[in-house]
Amino acid sequence: EITDRCNLTCPTCYAGSSPTYGRHRTLIEIKKMLDVIVENEKEPDVVQISGGEPTIHPDFFEILDYAKSLPIKHIMLNTNGVKIAKDFDFAKRLAAYEPDFEIYLQFDSFIEGSLNILRGTDLLKIRKKALANLNKLNLSTTLVVTLQKNLNDDEIGKTIDFALKQKCVRGVTFQPTQV
Protein backbone atom coordinates (compact mmCIF):
# COMPACT_ATOMS: atom_id res chain seq x y z
CA GLU A 1 0.00 0.00 0.00
CA ILE A 2 1.80 3.05 -1.29
CA THR A 3 -0.84 5.53 -0.15
CA ASP A 4 -3.82 5.83 2.17
CA ARG A 5 -5.34 8.45 -0.10
CA CYS A 6 -7.94 7.86 -2.80
CA ASN A 7 -9.81 9.90 -5.38
CA LEU A 8 -13.08 8.21 -4.28
CA THR A 9 -14.93 7.80 -0.97
CA CYS A 10 -16.37 4.30 -1.36
CA PRO A 11 -18.71 3.21 1.45
CA THR A 12 -17.27 -0.33 1.15
CA CYS A 13 -13.60 0.69 1.48
CA TYR A 14 -11.91 -1.62 3.98
CA ALA A 15 -9.05 0.89 4.34
CA GLY A 16 -11.24 3.93 4.98
CA SER A 17 -9.41 5.76 2.18
CA SER A 18 -10.52 9.14 0.84
CA PRO A 19 -9.01 12.27 -0.71
CA THR A 20 -8.12 13.59 2.76
CA TYR A 21 -7.39 10.44 4.79
CA GLY A 22 -3.83 9.49 5.73
CA ARG A 23 -0.81 10.15 3.57
CA HIS A 24 1.29 9.01 0.65
CA ARG A 25 4.26 6.83 1.71
CA THR A 26 7.57 8.41 0.73
CA LEU A 27 9.56 6.97 -2.13
CA ILE A 28 12.22 5.94 0.38
CA GLU A 29 9.63 4.08 2.49
CA ILE A 30 8.21 2.32 -0.55
CA LYS A 31 11.64 1.27 -1.81
CA LYS A 32 12.36 -0.20 1.64
CA MET A 33 9.01 -2.06 1.57
CA LEU A 34 9.81 -3.53 -1.84
CA ASP A 35 13.38 -4.37 -0.77
CA VAL A 36 12.07 -6.29 2.26
CA ILE A 37 9.71 -8.31 0.04
CA VAL A 38 12.58 -9.22 -2.29
CA GLU A 39 14.91 -9.93 0.63
CA ASN A 40 12.37 -12.33 2.16
CA GLU A 41 11.13 -13.99 -1.03
CA LYS A 42 14.19 -13.60 -3.33
CA GLU A 43 12.06 -13.60 -6.53
CA PRO A 44 8.47 -12.83 -5.50
CA ASP A 45 5.86 -14.29 -7.85
CA VAL A 46 3.48 -11.33 -7.53
CA VAL A 47 3.56 -7.92 -5.88
CA GLN A 48 0.46 -5.75 -5.89
CA ILE A 49 0.89 -2.00 -5.91
CA SER A 50 -2.12 -0.84 -3.93
CA GLY A 51 -3.54 1.82 -1.65
CA GLY A 52 -5.91 3.85 -1.36
CA GLU A 53 -5.61 4.61 -5.04
CA PRO A 54 -1.98 4.17 -6.10
CA THR A 55 -2.29 6.11 -9.37
CA ILE A 56 -2.68 9.38 -7.45
CA HIS A 57 0.68 8.99 -5.68
CA PRO A 58 2.99 11.87 -6.74
CA ASP A 59 5.90 9.41 -7.28
CA PHE A 60 3.76 6.77 -8.97
CA PHE A 61 5.94 6.10 -12.03
CA GLU A 62 9.16 6.23 -10.02
CA ILE A 63 7.65 3.52 -7.81
CA LEU A 64 6.81 1.36 -10.83
CA ASP A 65 10.29 1.95 -12.26
CA TYR A 66 11.87 0.76 -9.04
CA ALA A 67 9.57 -2.25 -8.74
CA LYS A 68 10.37 -3.28 -12.34
CA SER A 69 14.10 -3.04 -11.58
CA LEU A 70 13.74 -5.76 -8.92
CA PRO A 71 13.50 -9.52 -9.50
CA ILE A 72 9.70 -9.52 -9.15
CA LYS A 73 8.08 -11.93 -11.59
CA HIS A 74 4.74 -10.12 -11.92
CA ILE A 75 3.49 -6.70 -10.82
CA MET A 76 -0.20 -5.93 -10.42
CA LEU A 77 -1.62 -2.43 -10.17
CA ASN A 78 -4.71 -2.40 -7.96
CA THR A 79 -6.81 0.52 -9.25
CA ASN A 80 -10.27 2.02 -9.51
CA GLY A 81 -9.43 3.01 -13.10
CA VAL A 82 -10.41 6.69 -12.87
CA LYS A 83 -6.99 7.94 -14.02
CA ILE A 84 -6.83 5.30 -16.79
CA ALA A 85 -10.26 6.37 -18.05
CA LYS A 86 -9.51 10.08 -18.04
CA ASP A 87 -5.95 10.06 -19.39
CA PHE A 88 -5.06 7.82 -22.35
CA ASP A 89 -1.42 8.96 -22.21
CA PHE A 90 -1.29 7.71 -18.62
CA ALA A 91 -2.65 4.33 -19.79
CA LYS A 92 -0.06 4.25 -22.61
CA ARG A 93 2.68 4.86 -20.08
CA LEU A 94 1.39 1.92 -18.02
CA ALA A 95 1.59 -0.33 -21.07
CA ALA A 96 5.35 0.33 -21.18
CA TYR A 97 5.70 -1.79 -18.01
CA GLU A 98 4.67 -4.96 -19.82
CA PRO A 99 5.44 -7.81 -19.88
CA ASP A 100 4.72 -9.19 -16.43
CA PHE A 101 2.55 -6.23 -15.52
CA GLU A 102 -1.21 -6.29 -15.03
CA ILE A 103 -4.09 -4.00 -14.15
CA TYR A 104 -6.31 -5.24 -11.32
CA LEU A 105 -9.38 -3.13 -12.15
CA GLN A 106 -12.30 -2.53 -9.82
CA PHE A 107 -15.49 -3.48 -11.72
CA ASP A 108 -18.47 -4.10 -9.44
CA SER A 109 -21.75 -3.72 -11.28
CA PHE A 110 -23.68 -2.55 -14.32
CA ILE A 111 -26.43 -1.00 -12.15
CA GLU A 112 -26.30 2.62 -10.96
CA GLY A 113 -27.98 1.88 -7.62
CA SER A 114 -25.55 -0.93 -6.81
CA LEU A 115 -22.58 1.24 -7.72
CA ASN A 116 -23.90 4.04 -5.53
CA ILE A 117 -24.12 1.64 -2.57
CA LEU A 118 -20.65 0.14 -3.17
CA ARG A 119 -18.75 3.17 -4.46
CA GLY A 120 -20.83 6.20 -3.54
CA THR A 121 -21.26 7.15 -7.21
CA ASP A 122 -22.13 5.62 -10.59
CA LEU A 123 -18.78 4.64 -12.07
CA LEU A 124 -20.00 2.49 -14.98
CA LYS A 125 -19.04 5.03 -17.68
CA ILE A 126 -15.62 5.50 -16.05
CA ARG A 127 -15.04 1.72 -15.92
CA LYS A 128 -16.10 1.28 -19.55
CA LYS A 129 -13.83 4.14 -20.66
CA ALA A 130 -10.93 2.66 -18.68
CA LEU A 131 -11.57 -0.69 -20.38
CA ALA A 132 -11.76 0.98 -23.79
CA ASN A 133 -8.32 2.50 -23.19
CA LEU A 134 -6.94 -0.78 -21.86
CA ASN A 135 -8.42 -2.67 -24.84
CA LYS A 136 -6.73 -0.25 -27.28
CA LEU A 137 -3.43 -1.10 -25.62
CA ASN A 138 -4.29 -4.77 -24.97
CA LEU A 139 -2.91 -4.21 -21.47
CA SER A 140 -3.44 -7.33 -19.38
CA THR A 141 -6.36 -6.72 -17.02
CA THR A 142 -8.27 -8.61 -14.34
CA LEU A 143 -11.72 -7.34 -13.41
CA VAL A 144 -12.21 -7.26 -9.65
CA VAL A 145 -15.77 -7.41 -8.37
CA THR A 146 -16.66 -6.50 -4.80
CA LEU A 147 -19.57 -8.88 -4.44
CA GLN A 148 -22.38 -8.21 -1.99
CA LYS A 149 -25.23 -10.64 -1.40
CA ASN A 150 -28.58 -9.40 -2.73
CA LEU A 151 -26.90 -6.38 -4.32
CA ASN A 152 -24.78 -7.46 -7.29
CA ASP A 153 -24.46 -11.22 -6.88
CA ASP A 154 -27.05 -11.73 -9.62
CA GLU A 155 -24.62 -10.08 -12.08
CA ILE A 156 -21.90 -12.75 -11.90
CA GLY A 157 -22.83 -14.32 -15.26
CA LYS A 158 -23.26 -10.96 -16.96
CA THR A 159 -19.86 -9.84 -15.66
CA ILE A 160 -18.14 -12.96 -16.99
CA ASP A 161 -19.90 -12.61 -20.37
CA PHE A 162 -18.83 -8.95 -20.51
CA ALA A 163 -15.24 -9.85 -19.57
CA LEU A 164 -15.07 -12.45 -22.35
CA LYS A 165 -15.79 -9.70 -24.88
CA GLN A 166 -12.89 -7.52 -23.71
CA LYS A 167 -9.61 -7.99 -25.58
CA CYS A 168 -7.50 -6.99 -22.56
CA VAL A 169 -9.28 -8.99 -19.84
CA ARG A 170 -7.49 -12.16 -18.74
CA GLY A 171 -9.63 -12.94 -15.69
CA VAL A 172 -12.32 -11.97 -13.21
CA THR A 173 -11.92 -12.02 -9.44
CA PHE A 174 -14.89 -11.96 -7.08
CA GLN A 175 -14.27 -10.59 -3.59
CA PRO A 176 -17.32 -11.09 -1.36
CA THR A 177 -18.06 -8.56 1.36
CA GLN A 178 -19.25 -9.35 4.84
CA VAL A 179 -22.02 -7.12 6.11
Side-chain angles (χ1 to χ4, degrees):
E1 294 182 0
I2 65 172
T3 184
D4 301 316
R5 300 250 167 109
C6 188
N7 49 4
L8 298 175
T9 54
C10 302
T12 58
C13 184
Y14 71 91
S17 295
S18 76
T20 58
Y21 173 77
R23 66 182 183 89
H24 299 301
R25 308 287 172 280
T26 67
L27 187 56
I28 291 168
E29 288 173 308
I30 294 164
K31 284 181 175 183
K32 284 181 186 176
M33 290 164 45
L34 290 166
D35 289 343
V36 167
I37 292 168
V38 170
E39 183 181 319
N40 288 329
E41 297 185 31
K42 307 303 177 222
E43 289 185 27
D45 285 327
V46 178
V47 171
Q48 273 195 353
I49 307 297
S50 191
E53 173 55 37
T55 63
I56 67 170
H57 194 290
D59 299 317
F60 177 72
F61 285 110
E62 290 88 347
I63 294 163
L64 285 185
D65 289 342
Y66 187 71
K68 283 298 276 191
S69 76
L70 299 172
I72 299 168
K73 293 179 184 175
H74 193 79
I75 297 170
M76 297 175 88
L77 171 61
N78 207 353
T79 181
N80 61 34
V82 172
K83 183 87 170 165
I84 293 168
K86 292 182 175 182
D87 186 348
F88 185 69
D89 287 335
F90 181 86
K92 279 188 352 187
R93 195 161 172 197
L94 289 175
Y97 290 94
E98 287 189 303
D100 307 318
F101 178 77
E102 178 179 354
I103 304 299
Y104 207 61
L105 180 67
Q106 194 183 83
F107 193 94
D108 304 310
S109 179
F110 297 92
I111 300 168
E112 180 180 352
S114 298
L115 288 166
N116 283 327
I117 290 168
L118 291 167
R119 302 293 164 200
T121 190
D122 182 0
L123 294 168
L124 186 57
K125 287 180 184 171
I126 290 286
R127 299 291 191 269
K128 286 187 173 182
K129 179 63 176 165
L131 277 169
N133 287 343
L134 294 167
N135 278 327
K136 284 179 195 171
L137 300 164
N138 197 23
L139 181 49
S140 181
T141 302
T142 295
L143 299 184
V144 185
V145 179
T146 298
L147 199 62
Q148 191 167 315
K149 187 175 181 177
N150 299 321
L151 181 67
N152 62 343
D153 57 339
D154 60 339
E155 296 181 74
I156 292 172
K158 183 176 181 177
T159 302
I160 292 170
D161 289 341
F162 177 79
L164 288 168
K165 295 174 185 158
Q166 308 307 310
K167 179 180 179 181
C168 68
V169 173
R170 310 293 191 261
V172 180
T173 298
F174 295 97
Q175 299 178 329
T177 61
Q178 291 184 328
V179 288

